Amino acid sequence: MKKYDILVIGSGGGTKLVTPPSKLGYKVAILEKDRLGGTCLNRGCIPSKMLIHPAEILAQAKDASKFQLGIPGPFSVDFKTLVERVSATVDADSDSIIPAYEKNPNIDFYPHEGRFVENKVVKVNGELITADRIFIAAGCRPSIPNIPGLAGTPYMTSREALRRTELPKRLLVIGGGYIGLELGFAYSAFGSKTTFIVRNRMLSHEDKDIVDGFEKAFSKREDVRLGTEVKKVDYKDGIFRLECKNPSETYILEGDALLVATGIKPNTDWLDLQHTDIQTDEKGYIKTNEYFETTADGVYALGDTIGRYFFRHSVNFEGEFLFNSLYVDKRRTPVEYPPVPHSVFTHPQVAAVGKTEQQLKEEGTEYISAINPYSSSATGMARLSEDQFVKILVSPKTRKVLGAHILGDEASNLIHLFILLMTMGGTLDDLLKMIYVHPALPEIARNAARKAREILSSS
Ligand SMILES: Cc1cc2nc3c(=O)[nH]c(=O)nc-3n(C[C@H](O)[C@H](O)[C@H](O)COP(=O)(O)OP(=O)(O)OC[C@H]3O[C@@H](n4cnc5c(N)ncnc54)[C@H](O)[C@@H]3O)c2cc1C
Ligand SMILES: NC(=O)c1ccc[n+]([C@@H]2O[C@H](COP(=O)([O-])OP(=O)(O)OC[C@H]3O[C@@H](n4cnc5c(N)ncnc54)[C@H](O)[C@@H]3O)[C@@H](O)[C@H]2O)c1
């Protein structure tokens, strides 16, 4: 049986444990059943943001008249060429990984699925391999709800929606989370008449003020059906017919394409974990402790597959943490995550770091809340910002920011001020010490901090 120092299953964030240890002389095997680079590169963050950027340009152009600009419409997109460019870019990036691995004598790449036959033995393409340490970074895939009539229809998940080259006239989206909203927004901006069917509320994991604000802002531009369940799907002659039910009525929605974006499930069913001591929770996510150790000796797991965070930036952090603790410091170290931020790349954007107001209430943590609208600062005035704001939650005792929540232009960039502050353990006063460029976007965040200072000094 072939033996390695390191065996990695999954080439997304798992790659953090491939090239870096190989450079220190460790022999590494990497197994990938799909395209190298994982979800983010091939069917996630990167292609989606390459579509969302031009969609954002169109969304801005549609707003041009409010700035007394006569940018002539109708706006159009060469959707086929755009999608082909995006696909070619990510495919080239993925393809470039193989030659790099082939050149490296310490890396063996297995372009196959790996399945466990016992605790530390994996069968790949008929061959048994083992390693001192095995890292499982097997990721997740779309989870499809059990709606009568849906199975067998040509619905899209994010995977197909990112590669489709024909823009549908009418798009139906089921799901009000990250994927449904980001991809639905892009298709809508490109010209598909898009309807968002949302079982409860949009972005329900966000702070309640963000949920309220986002729903209000998004619904001004998009056809949004909140509190609506899809009871039945029918597909005939190229048309989807969805039976939709809300508390007051049942009706049919028609579309030429259907995007199902109702969450994800772990790929652990591809690993044959029943042959090992590796335990999973009731949803199939691998159980790990603070060292990313599974319940089998020498086997670690990270990323989406452990069900903690579902972002490329979080699995990158976890992979780098494991590499540093196990192969650089060579010390068994418990993980301490710095604040983990997130952003939803819609129009308007959403970004957050730290706790929501609801979480602080539930924990019984003391806080004050300060909200500053974009429109109250110079750059917000220039942008004619509506419905956009920065909200911060501050501890009256320590004056530390416990949570920051942004709805508005460039929220995914603006949030970094708070990520840095919270990571460094700074206070409101640190945020107010520095000189801000006038009139730049971060002044909006500073003004929220000033409001918090006022609230604290008057209480
Ligand atoms: C449409 C979309 C947009 C997204 N946008 C963002 C974003 O903007 N920002 C962000 O931070 N996150 C985003 N995400 C989430 C992000 O892509 C994931 O959180 C991240 O890629 C998870 O990385 P991972 O390494 O845990 O798993 P993956 O990247 O999914 O890698 C796991 C790999 O393991 C392989 N594999 C599984 N089982 C086996 C096996 N038995 N043998 C061999 N190979 C196996 C799979 O083929 C897969 O390639 C997005 C996701 C989607 C779907
Ligand atoms: N910008 C980003 O960082 C980004 C972008 C895309 C995806 N992602 C990651 O990918 C993951 C998956 O995204 P997603 O949008 O599929 O999941 P999600 O959990 O964000 O949203 C799922 C949505 O589907 C709804 N839903 C669930 N079951 C349903 C059912 N049976 N019928 C109708 N609606 C149902 C939920 O209420 C929710 O609105 C996310 O957890 C996220 O972390 C991140």
Side-chain angles (χ1 to χ4, degrees):
M1 178 161 46
K2 204 153 184 189
K3 182 167 185 295
Y4 293 89
D5 298 311
I6 295 169
L7 191 166
V8 179
I9 303 177
S11 70
T15 51
K16 296 284 174 192
L17 291 145
V18 179
T19 306
S22 80
K23 288 187 176 159
L24 299 179
Y26 293 96
K27 295 274 181 205
V28 187
I30 164 82
L31 281 50
E32 174 54 66
K33 61 181 278 180
D34 204 316
R35 291 193 67 91
L36 268 171
T39 301
C40 180
L41 173 61
N42 295 293
R43 49 193 174 273
C45 337
I46 298 179
S48 63
K49 272 70 221 178
M50 288 183 74
L51 288 181
I52 287 167
H53 180 70
E56 175 65 26
I57 293 173
L58 278 181
Q60 302 265 4
K62 282 178 191 162
D63 272 351
S65 63
K66 75 177 183 185
F67 298 104
Q68 292 71 50
L69 298 176
I71 301 179
F75 306 111
S76 66
V77 60
D78 178 353
F79 189 67
K80 183 171 179 290
T81 308
L82 167 59
V83 174
E84 282 171 355
R85 173 176 62 77
V86 171
S87 301
T89 306
V90 298
D91 287 351
D93 207 358
S94 170
D95 290 344
S96 73
I97 305 171
I98 301 177
Y101 284 170
E102 279 172 352
K103 262 193 251 151
N104 188 325
N106 287 337
I107 297 176
D108 280 348
F109 169 46
Y110 293 83
H112 305 287
E113 182 172 273
R115 287 185 178 255
F116 281 86
V117 293
E118 56 182 273
N119 267 341
K120 282 211 2 222
V121 181
V122 174
K123 191 171 188 179
V124 52
N125 200 26
E127 197 182 333
L128 294 181
I129 57 176
T130 185
D132 287 339
R133 288 195 179 111
I134 296 182
F135 296 94
I136 305 173
C140 283
R141 63 183 185 275
S143 162
I144 307 303
N146 198 7
I147 303 173
L150 177 63
T153 68
Y155 65 84
M156 302 185 285
T157 65
S158 48
R159 183 185 268 262
E160 294 77 30
L162 289 166
R163 296 270 171 168
R164 183 186 175 111
T165 51
E166 178 230 341
L167 191 65
K169 278 210 172 69
R170 298 167 301 175
L171 172 68
L172 302 170
V173 178
I174 307 180
Y178 286 85
I179 293 176
L181 296 181
E182 287 187 356
L183 296 186
F185 151 64
Y187 269 84
S188 172
F190 294 137
S192 292
K193 190 181 168 307
T194 305
T195 309
F196 296 82
I197 307 151
V198 181
R199 196 171 47 173
N200 299 311
R201 303 207 57 183
M202 293 180 144
L203 300 178
S204 48
H205 58 276
E206 299 290 346
D207 186 277
K208 174 88 167 30
D209 284 323
I210 296 286
V211 176
D212 292 343
F214 181 83
E215 284 178 352
K216 183 177 164 216
F218 201 73
S219 303
K220 280 186 184 169
R221 297 159 175 272
E222 310 288 352
D223 181 355
V224 175
R225 313 293 172 103
L226 297 176
T228 303
E229 260 193 85
V230 178
K231 302 302 275 181
K232 214 173 103 191
V233 176
D234 182 48
Y235 177 76
K236 223 165 97 194
D237 302 329
I239 295 177
F240 285 93
R241 284 181 189 82
L242 270 48
E243 188 182 303
C244 298
K245 187 174 182 311
N246 66 29
S248 51
E249 56 174 339
T250 297
Y251 58 94
I252 303 289
L253 277 177
E254 282 193 358
D256 308 296
L258 171 64
L259 169 62
V260 178
T262 49
I264 49 179
K265 62 176 183 186
N267 292 330
T268 42
D269 52 335
W270 293 338
L271 291 166
D272 279 350
L273 296 180
Q274 71 277 14
H275 298 142
T276 71
D277 295 324
I278 301 167
Q279 290 173 10
T280 55
D281 67 14
E282 66 291 349
K283 289 185 176 158
Y285 292 104
I286 297 176
K287 287 187 185 172
T288 51
N289 60 16
E290 61 208 312
Y291 303 92
F292 297 101
E293 293 162 347
T294 68
T295 40
D297 255 6
V299 183
Y300 299 74
L302 64 153
D304 281 11
T305 201
I306 63 173
R308 228 176 261 175
Y309 298 106
F310 299 96
F311 304 110
R312 180 63 197 218
H313 48 259
S314 46
V315 67
N316 282 348
F317 168 82
E318 293 167 352
E320 283 164 14
F321 171 84
L322 277 168
F323 169 66
N324 281 317
S325 63
L326 297 177
Y327 297 103
V328 180
D329 300 341
K330 299 189 182 168
R331 250 186 295 130
R332 193 169 166 264
T333 318
V335 66
E336 274 181 45
Y337 287 90
V340 179
H342 64 264
S343 190
V344 191
F345 293 82
T346 37
H347 182 86
Q349 288 190 350
V350 168
V353 59
K355 301 272 171 73
T356 63
E357 188 162 354
Q358 294 66 50
Q359 285 170 331
L360 293 175
K361 271 194 186 133
E362 270 162 36
E363 295 172 0
T365 304
E366 237 191 306
Y367 68 92
I368 60 111
S369 164
I371 294 184
N372 185 55
Y374 274 42
S375 55
S376 76
S377 69
T379 190
M381 283 182 223
R383 288 164 184 251
L384 297 178
S385 301
E386 283 170 32
D387 307 317
Q388 309 193 356
F389 62 89
V390 172
K391 169 176 177 174
I392 56 174
L393 301 159
V394 180
S395 161
K397 277 197 199 114
T398 63
R399 298 175 75 85
K400 287 190 173 172
V401 174
L402 305 171
H405 305 273
I406 306 178
L407 172 69
D409 294 347
E410 296 183 44
S412 58
N413 293 321
L414 192 47
I415 196 71
H416 283 80
L417 199 59
F418 296 108
I419 303 172
L420 182 67
L421 182 80
M422 291 171 70
T423 304
M424 305 304 283
T427 64
L428 202 59
D429 309 295
D430 294 316
L431 208 54
L432 292 170
K433 255 184 218 160
M434 64 187 197
I435 297 177
Y436 289 72
V437 170
H438 180 74
L441 216 49
E443 283 189 332
I444 301 166
R446 181 207 52 200
N447 293 352
R450 282 182 176 167
K451 281 196 172 163
R453 183 174 59 186
E454 265 171 47
I455 295 170
L456 286 174
S457 63
S458 65
S459 60

